[in-house]
Amino acid sequence: MYNRTAESVYSVVMCKGDGHVATLKDAAENTKVALDVARGARRWASRSTARVLLLLSLVGVIVLAGQALYLNHLLQQSSEATQTYVKTERLLSDKLAYEAAIDAISACIESHSEITTLHKWYCTQADSQFKTRTRELKYPGAQEMFQLHAYLAMRDLMRNRVRGLALDQLVQPSDTSQGKTLTLVASKTGTLTAAILTALLMLGTFVYLVWLPKRQSEEGAIMKPQDFQRHFQSKIRVMLDWSKFISSDWSIELRYFSIPEQSSLVYTPWYAQPDGSACAYNSPNAMPQSVASVALNSALREHHKVGDAPHSESISVVPAYRLNGDSILLLDGNHRAVSSQAASTKLGLAAFVINGPIDEHVLPDLAHWV
């Protein structure tokens, strides 16, 4: 029944076209990439407060840059709308000026049967309109029209005023969608809203980077620092700052590693020169060595007296410190891990891993991982 249902759904999706399937697949892949980047950023930032502050600052800069770009876009759109308005207004004014001149000329023509003085006045106005109307639109005085009973001119004036109402139909730049948005963004309300959204985004980033992992670590912690010290301090020979560790709130988690499959993720506190010879952690050009690397280096195995025969146990409980990514640094159990790797025998490492900062003052070996 399940297979039939799955096949039916698959058939329906395929019938809609490969484009839809490709789009869904791309969306899923993009989401996965985004989540992986977010998790990687959180792991990177969890190492120190400075990294958290750096990421928070980066988020703030990105948000402010986005707001600045959007504001610049609105300003550009508003400027274009203003230029369009000015151009349209000028064209319409020119049109009205021409129409007014035509009306004045029509009045002169139609008044030929009027008295000579009035007819002459109409014609004088017509001449004046024709010569000056296109340069600057000025109506003759309404009082003069009234005194002369220039009804045609008065009528023309009213017509021009009606036509002038078309100017009111022009959309002011501040009334456009861009203008309204610009007004809102530039207002106190818009500024306050942007500040609140920026603060909320940075707070969300802080919660994601610091508070949430800390809470998850506390909920998933299986051992306290005091218990870790009681079980492993006598076996650990590296220079771990126990006072800092005991007074810290670093979580300890249990992780499982399989040797030889995951031997490249498990590092020893052993170091080698580029020529393969053994050296101290603070020697020039010292390079950290994973279990896999040590197993391939006979000189390093001989230096640390790693036996050829693996231990009999199939699972070894070891203390460790978390490095970058999924890697760990063994604090004990190095000989067992390397001998099993060299002999190609299975060994499971049940590692109690300290999730502390990458700080050489906590553990000098961490200088190679900062």
Side-chain angles (χ1 to χ4, degrees):
M1 181 66 182
Y2 173 80
N3 291 335
R4 289 183 180 178
T5 303
E7 290 177 358
S8 300
V9 173
Y10 178 77
S11 300
V12 170
V13 173
M14 291 303 294
C15 288
K16 291 183 178 179
D18 294 338
H20 295 282
V21 177
T23 301
L24 293 175
K25 182 179 179 181
D26 291 342
E29 291 179 351
N30 292 337
T31 302
K32 183 178 182 300
V33 170
L35 291 175
D36 290 342
V37 171
R39 295 190 188 101
R42 184 166 68 180
R43 285 196 299 269
W44 182 81
S46 65
R47 292 311 191 178
S48 67
T49 304
R51 293 187 178 187
V52 174
L53 294 177
L54 177 61
L55 277 184
L56 287 176
S57 301
L58 182 61
V59 170
V61 169
I62 292 174
V63 172
L64 292 177
Q67 292 175 356
L69 289 174
Y70 182 59
L71 181 60
N72 181 69
H73 172 72
L74 291 177
L75 289 171
Q76 184 177 1
Q77 293 292 322
S78 179
S79 176
E80 292 175 357
T82 301
Q83 293 175 2
T84 301
Y85 169 80
V86 171
K87 181 178 179 181
T88 305
E89 183 182 33
R90 183 173 62 251
L91 292 175
L92 186 54
S93 297
D94 292 342
K95 177 184 176 183
L96 291 176
Y98 280 116
E99 290 178 345
I102 292 173
D103 289 339
I105 295 172
S106 299
C108 178
I109 295 173
E110 294 172 1
S111 64
H112 63 86
S113 60
E114 302 290 341
I115 60 176
T116 303
T117 304
L118 189 55
H119 177 68
K120 184 178 180 181
W121 183 84
Y122 282 134
C123 292
T124 300
Q125 292 299 314
D127 292 338
S128 176
Q129 291 284 341
F130 183 77
K131 292 178 180 179
T132 63
R133 214 49 157 148
T134 55
R135 292 196 301 269
E136 186 177 1
L137 193 59
K138 292 182 180 180
Y139 290 102
Q143 183 65 28
E144 184 180 6
M145 295 178 186
F146 178 77
Q147 291 176 353
L148 295 174
H149 301 286
Y151 297 109
L152 292 176
M154 294 169 65
R155 181 194 64 186
D156 294 338
L157 176 59
M158 293 300 101
R159 285 177 177 174
N160 285 334
R161 296 305 300 167
V162 171
R163 294 188 186 102
L165 293 177
L167 288 173
D168 297 333
Q169 296 177 3
L170 289 176
V171 178
Q172 295 287 345
S174 59
D175 293 331
T176 62
S177 58
Q178 297 89 348
K180 292 179 180 179
T181 306
L182 178 61
T183 301
L184 176 61
V185 170
S187 65
K188 292 182 179 180
T189 303
T191 303
L192 180 61
T193 302
I196 293 175
L197 291 177
T198 303
L200 289 176
L201 182 58
M202 296 185 68
L203 177 61
T205 303
F206 176 80
V207 169
Y208 177 76
L209 293 177
V210 178
W211 184 81
L212 187 60
K214 182 177 180 180
R215 181 173 183 129
Q216 290 175 343
S217 298
E218 292 175 352
E219 292 176 350
I222 60 171
M223 180 182 287
K224 294 181 180 180
Q226 293 81 359
D227 298 327
F228 185 95
Q229 182 185 34
R230 185 170 59 254
H231 283 288
F232 297 114
Q233 185 174 17
S234 61
K235 302 176 182 179
I236 295 176
R237 304 188 189 283
V238 297
M239 294 181 289
L240 176 66
D241 190 331
W242 288 98
S243 60
K244 285 186 178 181
F245 172 55
I246 295 301
S247 61
S248 72
D249 58 353
W250 308 334
S251 65
I252 301 170
E253 62 177 336
L254 178 61
R255 296 178 59 189
Y256 181 83
F257 292 86
S258 178
I259 302 297
E261 288 83 359
Q262 296 175 292
S263 58
S264 60
L265 296 177
V266 181
Y267 280 81
T268 68
W270 301 342
Y271 302 87
Q273 293 288 336
D275 61 1
S277 60
C279 65
Y281 77 93
N282 56 356
S283 297
N285 301 320
M287 296 183 296
Q289 302 294 304
S290 67
V291 170
S293 300
V294 177
L296 296 174
N297 188 330
S298 57
L300 202 57
R301 295 203 314 274
E302 182 179 353
H303 177 81
H304 290 285
K305 297 180 174 56
V306 178
D308 295 333
H311 291 262
S312 58
E313 70 263 20
S314 58
I315 296 180
S316 181
V317 178
V318 295
Y321 200 99
R322 183 164 69 97
L323 302 174
N324 296 325
D326 295 326
S327 301
I328 62 169
L329 174 67
L330 285 179
L331 305 181
D332 184 44
N334 301 282
H335 290 78
R336 282 167 287 177
V338 172
S339 61
S340 294
Q341 174 73 19
S344 298
T345 58
K346 292 282 187 179
L347 176 65
L349 296 179
F352 286 86
V353 183
I354 300 173
N355 288 315
I358 301 296
D359 185 352
E360 60 182 305
H361 296 97
V362 174
L363 180 59
D365 297 78
L366 296 177
H368 296 279
W369 304 93
V370 175

